[in-house]
Amino acid sequence: MAQRDGDAPRWHPHLWHPTTQVATARIPERVVRGEGAELITAGGERLIDAISSWWVTLHGHGEPSIARAIAAQAACLEQVIFANFSHPAAESLASRLSARSGLERLFFSDNGSTAVEVALKMAWQWWHNRGEQRRQLIAFEGAYHGDTFGAMAVGERSLFSAPFEPLLFAVARAPWPSSHWQEPEQPGPEARERQALDTLERLLEVPTAAVILEPLVQGASGMRMVRETFVREVERRVRQAGALLIADEVLTGFGRSGRLFASHRAGIRPDLMALSKGLTGGFLPMGVTLASEAVFQGFVAADPSRTLFHGHSFTANPLGCAAALASLDLLEQAPERYEGMEARHRPHLERLALLPGVRAPRLLGGIAAFDLAVESPGYLNPAGRRLQDRVWEQGVFLRPLGQVIYLLPPLGIRDDQLERCYAAIGSSLESL
Ligand SMILES: Cc1ncc(COP(=O)(O)O)c(C=O)c1O
């Protein structure tokens, strides 16, 4: 966070920011307040948070009902060890999320990466407990599942994971046939889906513990969307092979896909589901891994070696549970807020798509994205950073992924604010 001497911003001498190269990055702004879709800096600048602060802020910053729920819970029970004890907020959240997701068992952790780690460990140990040798995990090219070691291993190997390559376990990988990018020389989505499914089928000939995917959209690798039919066909093949299916809904969960869960929009029922980010409305760090009853039962035995020996200090933190319950209330009271995001984006994105330099516009629920036409696409491509600077000057915060520009604002963003985001992008594109 920037510290100011008078007006001169400088790096704080004791902070280390995430995924930030101090030698080249812009000094972070100091934010002192959040209100709805807006962030307010120490200098009084108001910025529309068009990416929900890394896809986290679900309804809006400072959402009063969530803030009140956390305060009430804090006054009552702030934390309790979840091994010997349970508490009402965790029980209520487990029942409600189970009813909503169709997965019977809920295991708490701290963030999206740990929710994925837990899903992988559950899947792996489930087979181990059954005494079956299934030694393969399958993930998709371009996947991102988090920054801890297991999550990195199943993610696409990249600049981010390169130093750790020797420490990452082997994962088989199937192509991800994102259907927005229609290069003339490339086959259409059907042909690419067929190729991807053929590869998956071949990989599944090896006894496989689990297949992990981000249903309908790979987020961090560039908002790469696939058709619902593809996700259903993946599930069909996974079932045929008897493997477990893990849906990483850390990004897509809680309405971001236009349905409460992208798995439901795609028409699949995974065995395990990882959730975080919007879980607490974006107020507190918490992850959950939902598991089917069949997976859970694989760990129930008098033999202690069949236990899932995994637990974090803050498991089922009551404040996080209270925030999650209040957030679920909001989602249940007004599902049209997330169901309607796609229609709110569409006319703006369609207008933007007419501009030269805009490639592959794509839309899923509250996630709108396009590519800037550049010669060498990739995370380090500076085109997005230039656009970020231009829109920032107009009071809009974006964080492009290389040349990929996307909007994923809080559900509570007003129409005039959404309009301002697109207007800022449009005028920036014209001046670039
Ligand atoms: C699909 C997906 N899985 C997992 C993660 C990791 O979540 P966290 O950053 O909370 O560890 C992310 C984060 O962006 C994500 O998008």
Side-chain angles (χ1 to χ4, degrees):
M1 201 176 282
Q3 181 174 283
R4 287 171 187 274
D5 275 342
D7 257 358
R10 64 183 178 91
W11 290 96
H12 191 287
H14 301 294
L15 281 173
W16 192 333
H17 287 264
T19 64
T20 298
Q21 178 44 264
V22 176
T24 51
R26 170 187 182 136
I27 298 177
E29 285 290 331
R30 180 185 275 161
V31 169
V32 292
R33 200 175 164 77
E35 276 177 19
E38 286 186 331
L39 298 169
I40 299 150
T41 67
E45 188 186 10
R46 295 182 88 92
L47 275 172
I48 300 175
D49 183 359
I51 61 146
S52 299
S53 283
W54 258 339
W55 326 338
V56 159
T57 304
L58 187 59
H59 309 281
H61 292 281
E63 171 59 44
S65 66
I66 300 180
R68 279 196 302 272
I70 294 170
Q73 182 64 52
C76 168
L77 174 70
E78 84 301 342
Q79 169 67 7
V80 61
I81 174 174
F82 205 61
N84 299 87
F85 298 102
S86 180
H87 60 80
E91 289 170 6
S92 172
L93 184 59
S95 302
R96 286 175 66 181
L97 277 184
S98 168
R100 286 300 188 147
S101 66
L103 290 166
E104 291 87 353
R105 297 284 170 168
L106 185 152
F107 189 99
F108 285 99
S109 62
D110 297 343
N111 54 60
S113 304
T114 55
V116 168
E117 296 283 343
V118 168
L120 294 171
K121 286 176 78 171
M122 283 177 175
W124 193 265
Q125 192 182 340
W126 191 72
W127 291 106
H128 175 86
N129 286 357
R130 290 161 67 97
E132 269 194 58
Q133 293 269 329
R134 290 199 174 221
R135 293 285 159 101
Q136 178 169 260
L137 290 166
I138 300 177
F140 285 88
E141 290 168 5
Y144 177 76
H145 296 292
D147 286 349
T148 52
F149 275 93
M152 267 197 296
V154 285
E156 172 83 43
R157 303 300 158 85
S158 68
L159 176 71
F160 288 31
S161 60
F164 313 105
E165 187 60 43
L167 302 177
L168 303 179
F169 54 76
V171 171
R173 225 165 275 280
W176 183 256
S178 41
S179 55
H180 60 268
W181 191 262
Q182 294 282 352
E183 294 286 18
E185 71 275 15
Q186 288 198 354
E190 294 84 1
R192 280 180 296 117
E193 284 172 13
R194 247 193 333 274
Q195 283 167 10
L197 292 167
D198 287 349
T199 305
L200 179 65
E201 260 177 41
R202 269 200 310 281
L203 294 174
L204 282 165
E205 285 167 12
V206 174
T208 299
V211 176
I212 181 166
L213 87 168
E214 294 157 87
L216 293 179
V217 54
Q218 288 186 336
S221 67
M223 301 301 162
R224 301 170 72 220
M225 298 173 188
V226 291
R227 303 189 310 169
E228 293 164 15
T229 46
F230 174 71
V231 176
R232 279 200 294 278
E233 287 301 312
V234 167
E235 182 188 41
R236 203 158 68 78
R237 279 149 182 90
V238 173
R239 298 286 166 232
Q240 276 165 0
L244 296 175
L245 183 62
I246 303 173
D248 176 353
E249 294 230 27
V250 170
L251 161 61
T252 52
F254 303 102
R256 294 300 197 183
S257 75
R259 292 280 300 274
L260 197 56
F261 299 110
S263 296
H264 296 174
R265 179 164 176 163
I268 61 166
R269 185 179 183 275
D271 304 286
L272 292 152
M273 189 190 279
L275 297 170
S276 183
K277 294 196 185 273
L279 168 66
T280 59
F283 269 62
L284 287 165
M286 174 172 269
V288 302
T289 307
L290 290 158
S292 68
E293 188 64 21
V295 168
F296 176 76
Q297 287 302 330
F299 291 78
V300 180
D303 173 2
S305 73
R306 284 178 57 174
T307 310
L308 180 70
F309 284 112
H310 187 106
H312 299 280
S313 310
F314 284 96
T315 297
N317 172 254
L319 305 181
C321 292
L325 285 167
S327 177
L328 261 188
D329 286 344
L330 292 173
L331 291 169
E332 288 173 1
Q333 282 155 16
E336 63 279 2
R337 289 224 300 181
Y338 59 85
E339 289 164 359
M341 279 306 294
E342 199 167 299
R344 292 179 66 195
H345 277 295
R346 180 167 285 112
H348 296 296
L349 188 64
E350 280 173 357
R351 264 198 303 281
L352 213 56
L354 301 174
L355 295 177
V358 172
R359 305 283 291 273
R362 48 204 187 268
L363 181 57
L364 179 85
I367 311 168
F370 64 92
D371 280 40
L372 295 172
V374 293
E375 268 176 17
S376 43
Y379 188 79
L380 296 182
N381 188 291
R385 183 104 77 90
R386 283 200 291 273
L387 186 96
Q388 181 188 43
D389 289 344
R390 297 283 166 88
V391 297
W392 195 313
E393 288 158 13
Q394 298 170 71
V396 175
F397 175 65
L398 292 176
R399 191 178 159 89
L401 299 154
Q403 80 290 349
V404 177
I405 313 299
Y406 70 92
L407 294 100
L408 177 46
L411 300 177
I413 189 170
R414 297 191 313 262
D415 284 341
D416 63 298
Q417 291 173 322
L418 193 62
E419 174 104 40
R420 268 182 53 209
C421 294
Y422 278 97
I425 295 172
S427 66
S428 303
L429 283 173
E430 277 160 12
S431 70
L432 268 179

